[in-house]
Structures are given as structure tokens and as C-alpha cells.
């Protein structure tokens, strides 16, 4: 999609070119019509002067050349005349060997050419009656200099118009950038929203942006409220189910089911799985806490609290530590990363004897997250099995499968890679490679 700046520029250019051409043509036409009317007055005076120069002679009408302008004597001087009466006509010496044609009707004409240089003539024919005879006098003036002046005016006007258009475009660009500056400010505020540095956009914006900002703020408030309600509902549901689950587990262990060992086994297995899932979701809600929608993951701010929460859940005997570059922010949603790291670390804490470490490594092409523990680990031939949801390699301990399956789904959605290996302490090592956004 083209930018607003380009659209405004193209629209302004189109409007100004069309309006400018129309106004320029109308102005030149009006100026030329006015000039022709002015020249027509001069030609009419010349025509009347020629009429006065006609006198009665011994042989009839004569032209008294003493009353003629010297311009009519020089060849192709640019001033010409022709006098028609009866069956004869006179013409000025300035016509030389050319002839001024007789026009069909009186009035001003501007489409005649004459002379070796192709002079454009402005000709006025006037009809009179003098000394009892009908006389037609045509006077002409070279219109070529005027035409050339108009051509120069067009060229100068075109140059000035282009220069003016460039100046207007420059001023328009500056004006549009200043007018769109509030949008740049809104973009920066949205980036701050994404980084968790603010919860809403400033409402001190131009009138045109007020509905947009108000709608975004309303959406943010609604989203945050929905997240809080969902988190609270999850916690309430979990706590509401813990008591019925404990009762059901107690009934499954009662002596009333001694006669049905298979039924007791099935009930206990299913109830234990429900209890595991319930505990995991409650732990997830505790780990996420309150977060702004779309907040990025700040390692320095989030990891100490995450490890402290896990220590409270799994006991103080575990040594949980992390290594990350100072001030590192991971370009993914805070809650998604809390869920991913919470699952990995929670899984490691269940199996570790005393040591769990998280390493966050920044690379040129992305990031690597590594979680290691000193537990029993997973044999290489069985590592692919733990990605199946609910698969457990040890029936006595909550298994790797559910948590690692969820982690794998998140990593695949981000276009990353999940690899299981052996830690330096002999336990499980989970490495997640994520591409840079």
C-alpha cells in the first residue's frame, strides 16, 4: 500500500497541474484578446489616417503620400495597407512584391502570413464611403514579435510553475510530516506497550486521532481485564476442584474397593492425572502473575522472581540459578516465555537432586535457552517418547511428557528447535534455539 505522503503528493501535483494549465491558458487567452483589442485601436487610427489621405485629383481619387507614415515606404517594415475602390486597388510600398489579399468581410483577422520570413499579420478591414465612392481599407501590422513574446512567456511561466510546484511539494512534505508527527508518537507508545512500559496510550492527541486512541485504550483495558478474569477463574476452579479430588482419591483407596482392584487402579490413575494437570495449571497461574498485554520478557526483572517461586513450590533444598547477559530482553510475549520456562524449570525441579540451572545465550542469528539438572536424565533411546502428552517414564514421579509437549508446541509456533541432551551433571539438558525476530 502506498504511503499517505505519496498519495497526498500525487493528488497535489495532479490538482495543481490541471488548475495551473487551465488558469495559464485562460490568462494568456485573455491577455492576447486584450492586446489585440489595443492593437485594433491603433490599426483603426491608421485606417482613418489613410482615409483622410484620399483626396480628389484630376483623374479622380488620389492618395496623398505626404500623409503616409514612413513605415509604409520600407520593404517588409511590418506595417502594410491595401485600399480597394471600384475595380482597382492601391497597396503600400512596404509590401514590396507581395500582395495583401482582400479579406471577405470587415473586422479584425490574425491568421495571415506575409513576407520571406513568414510574418504573422494582424489585419483590420474597414469599409467607408468617401467622395461618392465605396472604399475598403485593410491595414496590417506584424504580429510575430507578439507571438514570440507569448512563447517566451509560456516558457518562463512553465519554468516558474515547475519551480513553484517543487517548492509547494517541499512545503507540503514538511507540513504533512509535522501533521503526522502524532502518529509517530502513537507508534512509539505502542512499542512501549509491547515492552510493558505503559498500560495505555496518551489521550492528548489531535481531534482526528482521538477516536482511534480511545478505541485502542478500550481494547487494552478489555484485554487486560479478560486476562485477569481468566487467571482468577482458573485459580478459583483449581482450588474448588482440589477438595473433591482429595475426597475421590480417598474413596479410591478405601476398603470398599478391595474386591475391585482393577477398578481401584484405574480410578487412582485417572484421578492422579487430573490432579497433576490441575497442579500444573495452578503453578502456571502463580508463575505468570500480573502482566501487561504484549509485554516483552526482561530477563533481569523476571528470572529472579520465577526461580524464587519455583523454590517455594519445590523446596529450599534445590539450588536454582540462571546466567543471562545484563539487560537482555527477549523479543517474545512475557506470558508465553513464562509458560515455556516455567514448564522447563518445573520439570527439571521435579527430577533434580540438588541443582538446576537456566542459561540464556544471545547469538547473532537468535537466542538459545538451556535448562540443565542433576537428576537421572533420560536415556537417549527414550527421549523422543517424552514429547507425547501425558507420557511418563517413571510412574512414581510426575512425568516429563505433558510439560515438554507444551514447550515443543510453543517452540514450533515460534519457528525454533527443541533438542534433548545430557547435562554436565549427568541429568537432562533441554536446549531451545529460537531465531531472532
Amino acid at each position: 500500500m502506498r504511503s499517505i505522503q505519496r498519495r497526498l503528493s500525487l493528488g497535489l501535483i495532479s490538482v495543481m497541474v490541471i488548475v495551473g494549465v487551465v488558469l495559464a491558458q485562460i490568462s494568456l487567452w485573455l491577455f492576447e484578446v486584450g492586446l489585440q483589442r489595443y492593437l485594433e485601436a491603433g490599426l483603426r487610427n491608421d485606417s482613418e489616417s489613410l482615409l483622410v489621405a484620399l483626396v480628389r485629383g484630376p483623374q479622380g481619387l488620389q492618395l496623398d503620400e505626404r500623409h503616409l507614415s514612413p513605415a509604409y515606404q520600407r520593404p517588409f517594415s511590418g506595417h502594410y495597407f491595401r485600399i480597394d475602390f471600384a475595380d482597382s486597388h492601391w497597396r503600400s510600398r512596404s509590401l514590396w512584391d507581395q500582395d495583401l489579399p482582400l479579406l471577405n468581410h470587415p473586422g479584425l483577422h490574425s491568421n495571415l502570413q506575409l513576407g520571406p520570413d513568414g510574418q504573422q499579420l494582424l489585419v483590420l478591414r474597414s469599409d467607408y464611403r468617401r467622395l461618392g465612392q465605396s472604399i475598403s481599407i485593410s491595414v496590417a501590422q506584424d504580429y510575430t514579435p507578439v507571438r514570440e513574446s507569448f512563447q517566451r512567456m509560456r516558457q518562463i511561466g512553465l519554468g516558474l510553475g515547475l519551480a513553484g510546484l517543487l517548492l509547494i511539494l517541499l512545503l507540503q512534505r514538511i507540513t504533512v510530516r509535522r501533521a503526522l508527527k502524532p502518529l509517530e508518537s502513537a507508534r512509539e507508545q505502542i512499542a512501549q506497550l509491547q515492552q510493558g512500559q505503559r498500560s495505555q496510550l496518551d489521550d492528548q492527541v489531535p481531534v482526528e486521532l482521538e477516536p482511534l486512541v480511545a478505541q485502542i485504550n478500550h481494547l487494552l483495558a478489555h484485554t487486560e481485564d479478560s486476562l485477569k478474569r481468566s487467571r482468577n477463574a482458573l485459580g478459583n476452579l483449581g482450588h474448588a476442584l482440589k477438595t473433591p479430588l482429595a475426597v475421590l482419591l480417598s474413596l479410591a483407596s478405601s476398603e470398599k474397593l478391595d474386591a475391585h482392584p482393577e477398578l481401584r487402579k484405574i480410578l487412582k490413575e485417572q484421578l492422579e492425572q487430573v490432579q497433576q494437570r490441575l497442579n500444573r495449571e495452578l503453578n502456571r497461574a502463580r508463575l505468570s502473575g500480573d502482566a501487561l498485554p504484549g509485554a516483552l520478557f526482561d530477563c533481569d526483572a523476571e528470572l529472579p522472581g520465577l526461580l524464587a517461586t519455583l523454590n517455594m513450590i519445590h523446596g529450599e533444598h534445590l539450588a536454582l540459578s540462571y546466567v543471562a547477559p545484563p539487560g537482555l530482553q527477549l523479543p517474545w510475549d512475557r506470558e508465553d516465555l513464562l509458560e515455556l520456562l516455567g514448564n522447563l524449570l518445573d520439570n527439571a525441579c521435579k527430577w533434580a537432586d540438588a541443582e538446576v540451572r537456566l542459561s540464556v545465550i544471545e547469538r547473532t542469528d537468535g537466542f538459545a535457552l538451556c535448562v540443565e539438572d542433576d537428576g537421572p536424565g533420560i536415556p537417549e533411546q527414550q527421549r523422543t517418547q517424552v514429547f507425547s502428552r501425558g507420557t511418563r517414564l517413571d510412574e512414581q514421579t510426575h512425568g516429563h511428557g505433558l510439560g515438554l509437549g507444551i514447550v515443543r508446541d510453543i517452540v514450533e509456533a515460534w519457528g525454533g528447535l527443541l533438542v534433548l541432551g545430557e547435562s554436565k551433571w549427568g541429568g537432562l539438558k533441554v536446549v531451545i534455539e529460537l531465531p531472532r525476530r
Side-chain angles (χ1 to χ4, degrees):
M1 183 177 290
R2 293 182 300 180
S3 67
I4 296 177
Q5 174 72 52
R6 182 174 299 179
R7 288 185 176 184
L8 290 176
S9 299
L10 291 178
L12 181 63
I13 290 174
S14 302
V15 171
M16 292 197 62
V17 167
I18 294 173
V19 173
V21 169
V22 171
L23 289 178
Q25 291 299 326
I26 293 176
S27 300
L28 289 174
W29 177 76
L30 291 174
F31 182 76
E32 185 173 8
V33 169
L35 182 60
Q36 287 185 2
R37 293 294 176 264
Y38 173 77
L39 295 176
E40 181 183 0
L43 291 175
R44 194 170 299 280
N45 289 333
D46 292 343
S47 177
E48 293 175 353
S49 298
L50 289 171
L51 181 64
V52 172
L54 291 174
V55 296
R56 187 186 300 274
Q59 299 178 353
L61 282 178
Q62 285 184 333
L63 181 63
D64 188 357
E65 294 187 358
R66 292 175 300 176
H67 294 85
L68 298 181
S69 170
Y72 290 130
Q73 307 296 326
R74 297 193 307 271
F76 302 112
S77 64
H79 293 271
Y80 315 99
F81 71 81
R82 171 182 173 142
I83 301 176
D84 293 272
F85 63 96
D87 294 331
S88 61
H89 72 275
W90 294 323
R91 61 187 181 89
S92 64
R93 293 181 182 180
S94 57
L95 285 170
W96 197 245
D97 57 351
Q98 301 285 324
D99 199 2
L100 190 66
L102 178 63
L103 302 176
N104 295 327
H105 54 85
L108 190 67
H109 302 264
S110 60
N111 56 354
L112 295 180
Q113 288 189 349
L114 180 71
D117 296 330
Q119 293 177 349
Q120 185 82 24
L121 298 182
L122 189 65
V123 185
L124 175 66
R125 173 185 167 178
S126 302
D127 293 342
Y128 304 97
R129 188 169 183 81
R130 183 174 175 77
L131 301 178
Q133 295 192 34
S134 296
I135 300 172
S136 176
I137 301 177
S138 298
V139 290
Q141 180 178 341
D142 185 9
Y143 198 57
T144 305
V146 177
R147 291 286 187 183
E148 292 176 350
S149 297
F150 272 110
Q151 187 64 27
R152 286 195 296 270
M153 287 179 61
R154 286 191 179 96
Q155 293 174 353
I156 294 174
L158 179 60
L160 292 176
L162 290 176
L165 182 61
L166 291 176
L167 178 61
I168 290 174
L169 285 177
L170 177 61
L171 295 176
Q172 181 249 7
R173 180 176 290 271
I174 295 174
T175 302
V176 170
R177 285 187 175 178
R178 293 183 63 182
L180 296 180
K181 195 171 182 180
L183 289 178
E184 178 63 22
S185 177
R187 186 198 64 80
E188 293 175 355
Q189 292 180 27
I190 291 174
Q192 294 172 358
L193 276 174
Q194 188 180 17
Q195 296 171 3
Q197 298 176 4
R198 62 168 57 235
S199 59
Q200 285 193 327
L201 302 179
D202 290 339
D203 55 5
Q204 299 300 320
V205 293
V207 176
E208 293 80 4
L209 294 182
E210 284 181 356
L212 175 62
V213 171
Q215 193 65 33
I216 292 176
N217 286 337
H218 176 73
L219 178 62
L220 289 171
H222 177 72
T223 302
E224 188 172 4
D225 185 58
S226 297
L227 288 174
K228 288 181 179 179
R229 287 202 309 268
S230 299
R231 203 173 291 126
N232 292 335
L234 177 62
N236 294 336
L237 177 63
H239 289 295
L241 291 177
K242 290 182 78 173
T243 300
L245 275 175
V247 173
L248 290 174
L249 283 171
S250 176
L251 290 175
S253 303
S254 67
E255 58 185 19
K256 295 180 180 179
L257 293 178
D258 289 344
H260 306 281
E262 292 296 328
L263 178 59
R264 171 183 287 172
K265 180 180 178 182
I266 294 173
L267 285 175
K268 291 185 69 175
E269 287 178 353
Q270 297 301 316
L271 291 172
E272 286 174 357
Q273 288 186 20
V274 172
Q275 191 175 40
Q276 291 173 23
R277 181 60 183 264
L278 179 61
N279 290 334
R280 192 193 70 82
E281 293 299 334
L282 289 175
N283 289 339
R284 174 189 171 191
R286 291 175 62 187
L287 293 174
S288 10
D290 293 329
L292 294 172
L296 299 184
F297 190 88
D298 188 336
C299 293
D300 291 341
E302 304 293 347
L303 290 180
L306 177 63
L307 298 184
T309 303
L310 288 168
N311 256 329
M312 291 171 52
I313 295 173
H314 295 281
E316 299 292 339
H317 69 284
L318 287 178
L320 277 71
S321 61
Y322 77 93
V323 178
L328 178 63
Q329 283 191 334
L330 298 178
W332 287 276
D333 184 81
R334 174 186 180 272
E335 292 193 24
D336 290 341
L337 269 171
L338 280 175
E339 181 174 9
L340 184 146
L341 293 176
N343 273 291
L344 287 179
L345 292 170
D346 181 62
N347 188 79
C349 290
K350 292 174 183 177
W351 290 87
D353 292 331
E355 192 85 24
V356 175
R357 174 175 294 177
L358 167 65
S359 302
V360 183
I361 304 169
E362 184 177 12
R363 300 173 178 170
T364 56
D365 58 343
F367 301 87
L369 310 178
C370 178
V371 176
E372 302 176 85
D373 63 69
D374 60 351
I378 302 176
E380 184 175 356
Q381 62 273 16
Q382 296 180 333
R383 288 172 186 167
T384 57
Q385 300 178 21
V386 300
F387 290 118
S388 300
R389 292 182 181 270
T391 300
R392 297 196 321 220
L393 301 181
D394 186 343
E395 294 296 328
Q396 303 301 319
T397 309
H398 301 326
H400 295 284
L402 186 60
L404 289 180
I406 294 173
V407 168
R408 183 190 60 180
D409 293 343
I410 297 175
V411 172
E412 289 179 353
W414 290 347
L417 180 65
L418 175 62
V419 180
L420 300 182
E422 184 176 341
S423 72
K424 62 181 180 180
W425 301 306
L428 181 65
K429 179 180 180 180
V430 181
V431 180
I432 297 174
E433 297 180 0
L434 299 173
R436 186 179 295 274
R437 283 186 171 182

